[in-house]
Structure formats: structure tokens, C-alpha cells
Amino acid sequence: MSAPGFTLVVVAAVLYSSGFYLLLQRSLMRVVFGILVLGHAANVSLMLTDRAITLPPLLTEHEGPLSDPLPQAMALTAIVITFGVTTFLLALAYRVWLGDENDEVPADLEDRRIGRLAEPEDSA
Amino acid sequence: MRAATLEGTPSRPADLLRPARRTGTAPPPGGRCASVLPMMIDVPMLLPAILALHAVVAVPLPPLVRRLGPRAFLLAGVPPAVSAVWALAQAPAIVAGRAATAEVAWAPALGIGLNFRVDALSLAMIVLVSGIGAVIFCYCAAYFHHGERGLGRLAAVLVLFSGAMLGVVTTDNLFALYVFWELTSVTSFLLVGHDDRKEQARRAATQALVTTAGTGLLMLIGFVMLGHAAGDYSISGLVADPPDGGPWLTVALVLVLAGAFGKSAQVPLHFWLPGAMVAPTPVSAYLHAAAMVKGGVYLVARLAPGFADADLWRWLVLGFGLATMLVGGWRALRQDDLKLLLAYGTVSQLGFLVLLGGAGTQVAGVAMIAMLLAHGFFKSALFLTVGIIDHQTGTRSISRLTGLGRRMPVLAVAATLAAASMAGLPPLVGFVGKEAALEAFVPGAAPAPGPEGSAVMLTGLVLGSILTFAYSARFVWGAFADKSTVSERGFRRPSAAFVAAPVALTAVSLGLGLAPALADPLAQGYAHDLPAGHHAYHLSLWHGITLPLLLTGLVIAAGALMFVRRRAVSRLQNRMPRWPDAEYGYHLFVHGVYSVALSVTRRTQSGSLPVYLGIILATMLLLPGARLAAGLITGEIAVPGVQGAFRLWDSPLELLVAAVVVVTTIATVREHRRFPALILLSVLGFGIAGLFVLHGAPDLALTLVLVETLTTIILVFVLRRLPTTFSVRPNGWAKRLTVLLCAAAGTFIALALWLMTAARTDAPISQGYTERADEAGGDNLVNIILADFRALDTLGEIVVLATAAVAVASLVLLNRRNRVVDEPAAEVAVEAEEEARLSAAAEEHADSVAAHAAAEPALGQGQAPARGAGAEAGEAEMTVRGTAAGPEGAGGESRAEAVGGGPGGGEPAEGGPAGGPRPRPADAPGDAADPGPAPPDPGDTPADSADPPPDPRETPADPDDHEGSDDGRP
């Protein structure tokens, strides 16, 4: 049993914290940044499953412990999908901005309205 | 469908004690069975098919009703009729003790199957559900008018209800029973709310649904507990071998009884039944007299052989049943509306039935079957009578009806006989049943509920019967008598076919009364499972001079007196203090639920996305986080450092890269200017790529570098248009709290990951990939995994990318078409856009003069808001003016203006603060036009390429229009 290097754990902690913080911002563009950062955090998490720095998973004449290819394959997929999602979110954010010149995520008016109700609308 | 069997003679030891009676009705095993079996073997299997027939017939009914009118109800009556015929064909075998069973596998692993088992009790219920059902469908054909609103739906739902009810009374599985049970609740909701334009109908429907389905949920919990305790979810198995006592069994029984009481309208849940009388009368006759409300009675009677010995069960059933009988009877006496009178009468009778069904003695069981049949026949006949009266005279109010007995003599005779059956007069089946019921509680005659209890029950039954007699008399008098104080109303006599239904139902009441031996085998078939009294009891008109007969005499005398002195009774009723209204309790409950929901919503639903996400993070910290902390404190979770497996880094170089990543990440968070943030973000990405390199993942690093580059380029394109800085919120405790929350959440995740990976014991599964790399023919394991072993994942990835690409393309291209419209101004904007499109078409197909003319009005409108704009708008204004100065410019330019002017001119009313951003759309396409991509635009997207070509015929007209309007403008 061996744990991953603590440096990498600290990096993951910083990435997750920052990603969450950006996600909680009002500015839509920072939310997109947050998702980008969270994508990195997820990839670093996948890397945590590897024991130590080893040779790349290439079957060559070099003998020695290879790094685990499965998390790498997953991370590769994750990187590409994060890219797709980010692009899509950017396009959406851009549309929102074009619509009302506002980069901020507005509060849900319907939710606010319900919150202001003093009495149930239908008490049957 | 797996098996169709006829059960052999029941194996209960009690049967061995009664060989004489058994041999009287049942054939010896072997002999006749062998000859009967070939015919019978497939017949039970028809039951699931008959159930399905209900659903199949329901589907084409709405269009059929539209075409044929109410006559289509005759078709709708086919499934119940088939089912009744099937049941009657099975009757000889069933009353002989051989239940018909059929089985359809559903979810055998969960103990859920569509098992059907028809015994005597089910048979009695099928007679009500399908037999009376078929009659009522025929009656519907005469009752409803052609073209009545929602009639098709009514017919279809009524058939579905009939099928669901048939399922309730025939299934042998607790879960299937629950499903059918709730199906009847839902169909009842739709039927009660038939006239959905009436608020009263909607409310009554909701009330009925909430009460029956709500208690049904309690019942489901009870079912699960019962089935779990018994290890068997089949009803027959549960009753034959009930689980041993214990507190949970008690709870389960209470929950099941709650469901039964809700369905059968027992006090204090009875209020929904009178409310449901807003349903059309045939529906009331079917659901609220014959079939649905008997569901609870059926369930109580079904479980009684297994559970009636429990004291709690007995006293709940007897107590609530008796209370319901008295309350219902008392309130029925007050009613002026004939239908409401019957409704409260039904409540009363349901209480009577529940107490008989739950008493759990043989005589009570016999009486229950007799009363079940009797009530079904007389009450539905009376409801149908009220339906006819209402249909012909337009009222069912006692104080407005007079002389109907003279003018509808046949109906009057039939209804009087039915009411006599209700009142318990000989020679009707109601009398036979009531005699049996009184006998069941003669102290000492039956094993339960003990002498004192029996005396109390007997007194209650006599009181209830007196009330029943009194309201029966009141019904007959109110509906048919000549009243000197009421003036007669003119009406058409009902057709013979219309009257036939109540007459037929009453004929059955009379027939069963004159020949109780017809119903006796059925009653005995149900009751033989129950503990017997001192002697067997058979249904009969004459038992000699017995206590029940004397009591019946007392009931008739007292009831008649109550009817004769009805004014005194009504004065007494008015003087009684008003009891707490059960319906008021229901309203309080519903209002309470709404209020709680609202206050919860008000506290949690702030409408702010960050708050919602924050709640999610806090929940993550609170639940798994607390668990992790607890595990760490108790030492349950091993920390790597303790075991000496702790490593600070994998290589010193990693520390450097990690430092870069951490610093850029934090700087990204703190940066409020868009481009520096962007640059930091890409540095961060490249830093991560460096980490990949250090961890032996060159493929990852390569991909990430490529992706980061692309992302950065796209971000530059987007951010170029956005404000230079992000909106900044003032620092404060909220921000500090957010930072704290996010830091805690991130730390928690990283810590959990660290501990989880450290706790790993097995070797990675990718070893298998390494071994099979040769088969895939490659050296790079990551590539092999992506392209070979997990190729389907890669395909999915490609699909995701393609979807994102299509979405992005449509979002961006849509922008160039400038279809950004504000929701409230959508119509205006669409008009403006239409105008713009036309002008674009004009500019392509007509000469340049027409193009200018088309462009100018749009310009004129576009300028107004532009002038009132702020700093940003100044830029826009210049763009607009620039093009305005050169109307003879390129075609592409003038098109862009027209497009830009559309939304601007579409909302001229919005000035002031909206004026600032307004010209923006104008300059965005202007920008796009600069490099010159605008001219090919019309043919850009497939959807639009169709737009301009048809124009040539219209185009000459359209520019003329513009010219015309233009002429007037200067």
C-alpha cells in the first residue's frame, strides 16, 4: 500500500477549491473558468491513482514499472470532453451576453416570487 | 403465463371437521373433477385476458363515443359482461371450494407476480363489479346525451376503472393489489372530476384522491411489513399462515386498515364520499355504491380469516365500523338532496359491512357476503333511480319533488322494493342479510367478540338499523310521495330502456331474497375459513322466532315511528350540537401541508444560483465530510503517514511545477481583468500538462497542450466582446464565507481521494491490457485502450464533441443572423426581422434603387435609440451614421443595417436606460460585415437558403410597399 505524493494532493485541493469558488461567482465567464479548473482538478485526481513517477505506458525494450494506462485513457477522454463542454458553455455565455449585455447569472425571478408569497396560492 | 390450476379441497385442518357439509357441495376428488378439468383448465387462464380486454376496449372508446354517441357505452359494457359471465361459469367450482387461479410472471425475484385467485369472496365482488357494472354501462347509454362534453373520456375511464376493480378483487399478490387499488383511485379521480369546468367537481375529485391514495400509501407500507414478516407476498399464503404477533405486526395491521378505511369511507375519513357525489349519477352508482367503496370492505374481509383474532384488529374494525354506521345513518336523515341521502346511507352501510367483514366469525362472514350483495344491488338501483329522476325532472331535491309515484309507477315500485331491501324488510335480500348480521352478535351465539362486546355491538346494530329504516322511508317518501306543499313539475316520462336497469337490479334483490339458497353457497364458501359458532348458519328467510327476528320487528316499529315523527326528529337534529366536521380537519391538513411547503420553499429557494451550489457543497461537507472526520478521529480510516507510506513528492521537479500550478490557480481566482485571467488560465493548463509529463503520461500532456491552445484561442475570440473586467462583488462576510466553504470542500475532496487511493489493496486492472497488447497490435497502451479496448468510449467522446460542435455552430451562426430577441418583445422583433429579411431579399433580387429604399426605413428607425445612447452607443451611432451617409454602398452593408435596424426599430418605446445597450446588435453585424462575410449570408444555412428564392414573384411588390411608406416619411 502506498499513497500518492502529497504535493499532488495539495494541487488537487487547490484546484478543487478554486474551481468551486469560480463556479459560485455571478459572472458567467468566471463560471466557465471554474468548470475549466474543475476539469483540471478531475484529471489530477485520476493521476492520483498512479503510484509514483514511472515510465510512460509504452511497450518498448525498456524494462521497468510502467505507469497505469487506464487512468490516463480516462483522463484523455476527460480532457477532450471538457474541451467540448467549455466551448459549448462559452458559446452559451456569449449568447447570454448578446441577449441582455449582461455577463451575470441573474437570480431566478420565479423563485423569488414564490419566496415572497405570504399565503399558499391554493389552500383548497 | 405459467400455470392454470384448480386448487384442490383446501387443506386447512378445520375442513376435516366439517366433512358432512363439504361432501354435500363438493364432488369427491377424482371422479367429477376428471371430467370437469378438461373444460375448466383453460377457463381460469382467461382472467388476465379479460383484464386486458378492459384496457383494449378503453382505447378506441373516445373516438367511438364521438361518432356513435352514448350508444358506445353498450360496447363499453362488453368487458364487464364477459367478466361476469366468466365468473358465473366458474361459480360451481368456486363455491365448492376450488378457487380458480391464474398466474402471469412479472417480477418473480421480488415476489411480485400477477397471480390471480378467485374464491367465493372474489366471486361475490365480481358479481358486483362486473355484473352490476355491465347493467350500469347499459344505463349510461340512455342517461347521457349525444355530444356531451368529455363523454368519450368518461366512457374510456369507466371501463378502465372496471378493469382495475376487477384486478383488485381477483389478484393474489399484495403489490398487484396495491397497483390495482391505486388505479381505481386515479380513475375515480378522473370520473369524479368529470365536469372539470366546475370548481366543486375538481375539489371533490382531489379530495377523494388525496384521501384514498394517501391512505393507500399507508396501506402499501403495511403490505410491505406484512409480506416481510410472513416472507410471502401472496395474499392467500399470508392469510393461511399469518405471521406471528409482535409490535410490527400491529403497526402493519393498523396501516393496512387505514388504507381500507380510507377507501371505504369510514369515519373520520368518510367526508370524501358525499363530496364525490358531484360525479354523474351512473358513476356514483358504480363507484360509490357497487364497486370502489367496497374495496376496503373486500380487503378487510379478505384478511379477516388470518388476522381477526388480533384484539387490536377486532376492536378497530368493530369500533370504526359501528361509528361509521351510526354517523352515516344519522346524517342521511338530514339530507334534502336524494343523492346525498343515498351517499350518507352508503357511508352507513359501508360501516356495517366493515364491521361484519372484520368480525371474523362464521356467521358474520355469511352475513357480510349477503349484505355485500344486497347493498350492491339495492344501492345501485336506488342511485340509478335518482339518476332517472334527476334526468327527467331536473332536480333531486326532496323539497321540490312531488307526485312522481303516480307518474312513474314502475320506477316507484322498483325503487320502493330496493329501499325495502335497504331497510331490511322481508322478503328481500336485505332482510336476509340483516337477520344474519344480528345473529352474528347475539351474545353467546358466536365465539367473538365476547358476551359484553356482542351486546354492545348488537345494540349498535339495532340503532343503526333503525336509522337505516328511517332514511329508507324518507327516501321513498321524498322521491315519490305526493306532497301538498310542493307544486308539480312537468317532465317527460323515462323510456322503458332507461327504467330497465334499476328494475333489473331490484329484481335480483327480490330474487335473492325469495331464494336465499342461491347466495348461501357463496356465503358459506367464504365463511368456512372463519371460526365457527355453536351451529352452522344458513341464509334463509325464516329461522323461526329468534332474537334477530324480534329485533327486526323492533327496528321496523322504531324506524316507522321515526319516519312518522320526522319533524320531531329533524328538530332534535337541529338542536344537537354540531360535531367537529371531518371535512374541516381535511382542510386544515391540506392548508398545513401547503403552508409548510411554502415556508420551506421560502427559506431554501432564494433564486440565486451561487446559493444553490453553495448548499450542495455544504451538504457534501456535512454528510460525507462528517463521516470522514468521524472515521479519522476514531482511527477507523488509516492515515498514510502513520504507516510510514507517506510521500511528500514523487520528484523534486514536481514540486516546482506544482508551485506554478498553485500560484496560477490562485491568481486566476483573484484576477478580475479578463485577459490576465485568461493568460493565467492557460499557464495553469500548461502547468498541468507539465505534471502529466512528470507522471509518465506524454499522451495526456500532448493532448492537453493542444486543447489548451484551442481553448485559449476560443476564449480570446469570446472575451474580446465582453467587458474588460468581470463584475466584482464587494468584499464582505458573504465572500469570506464562500472562500471558506470552497476551501473546505476542495480540501475534503483531495483528502478523501488521498485516503481512498492509499487504501487500495488490489493490483490495477490494466495489467490485463498490457498482456493483451499484442492482440491489439500496438505499443502505446493508452492508444490501444482508446482505439481498441474501449473504442466504444471513444465513439461516445466523438459524439459528444460533434454535438458540442453543432450546438456551438448553431449558437454562433444564429447570432450572425441576429435573431437575438427579447422575450416580451418577441412579436415585434419577429416583425422587424421579417422586414429585414424582406429587405435583404429585395436587395438581392431587385435593382439597387429598391435596395436603398428597403434599407432606409430601417435606418430611420435605428437612429432614434442610437442617439440617446451612452459612450458605447456612440460607437454604434457612428456605425449607423456611416452607413447612412453612403446608401449607395455595397449591398452587403445595407443589408447589415437593415438587420441591425430591425430590433432597434422594433421597440421604439423602450428608451432611457435600455437605450444604452440597444444599438449593440446593430454594430455586431456591422463588425461581421467588415471582413465581408455578410453577402453570402442568406444562403449560409440550409433553413434560410429556402427563404429568398421564392421571393422573385413577391419581391417587386414588397419594395413598392417600402417605397410607398418611404414616400410619406420625408
Side-chain angles (χ1 to χ4, degrees), chain B residues 717-914:
Chain B
F717 268 113
V718 175
L719 286 184
R720 169 173 86 94
R721 300 191 184 278
L722 296 184
T724 40
T725 56
F726 303 121
S727 56
V728 185
R729 295 269 156 155
N731 293 337
W733 65 267
K735 186 168 176 179
R736 279 184 215 119
L737 195 69
T738 312
V739 170
L740 200 67
L741 180 69
C742 295
T747 312
F748 161 70
I749 291 187
L751 195 65
L753 280 170
W754 185 49
L755 295 172
M756 280 191 270
T757 42
R760 182 168 171 172
T761 51
D762 287 333
I765 57 165
S766 45
Q767 196 60 36
Y769 291 132
T770 317
E771 284 158 12
R772 290 193 161 72
D774 278 346
E775 295 172 28
D779 287 336
N780 185 332
L781 285 175
V782 176
N783 284 358
I784 291 173
I785 289 175
L786 287 177
D788 206 311
F789 296 136
R790 314 276 320 162
L792 207 60
D793 292 2
T794 311
L795 182 69
E797 182 186 329
I798 293 170
V799 170
V800 169
L801 272 192
T803 313
V806 169
V808 169
S810 58
L811 284 170
V812 172
L813 289 179
L814 196 66
N815 164 48
R816 287 168 63 183
R817 308 292 304 167
N818 199 29
R819 296 218 174 129
V820 185
V821 288
D822 288 341
E823 286 279 334
E827 274 186 29
V828 189
V830 165
E831 270 174 35
E833 187 193 314
E834 183 68 16
E835 192 183 330
R837 197 178 58 75
L838 285 176
S839 45
E843 144 222 295
E844 272 203 2
H845 296 283
D847 60 347
S848 68
V849 181
H852 302 156
E856 269 185 32
L859 278 179
Q861 288 164 354
Q863 272 173 348
R867 285 205 184 105
E872 260 186 311
E875 200 183 342
E877 203 176 346
M878 279 176 63
T879 319
V880 174
R881 282 200 183 142
T883 44
E888 284 123 336
E893 241 176 20
S894 71
R895 184 197 159 271
E897 290 144 20
V899 170
E907 298 150 305
E910 270 193 52

Side-chain angles (χ1 to χ4, degrees), chain A residues 1 3 6-7 21 29-30 51 53 59 68 72 76 94-95 98 101 104 108 111-112 115 117 122, chain B residues 591 594 602 605-607 612 647-648 669 694 696 703 721-722 727 729 735 758 766 779 786 815 920:
Chain A
M1 184 177 100
F6 200 72
T7 312
Y21 183 78
M29 206 45 67
R30 299 190 87 193
R51 301 288 166 90
I53 291 186
L59 296 177
D68 193 346
Q72 291 192 20
L76 203 59
Y94 179 50
R95 295 295 303 176
L98 273 189
E101 300 276 320
E104 292 211 348
D108 191 322
D111 283 2
R112 285 272 162 92
L117 277 183
D122 178 18
Chain B
H591 189 80
Y594 273 118
R602 198 186 292 139
Q605 197 144 324
S606 66
Y612 294 160
R647 280 180 298 131
L648 201 53
V669 172
L694 288 176
T703 314
R721 300 191 184 278
L722 296 184
S727 56
R729 295 269 156 155
K735 186 168 176 179
S766 45
D779 287 336
L786 287 177
N815 164 48
R920 262 285 166 178

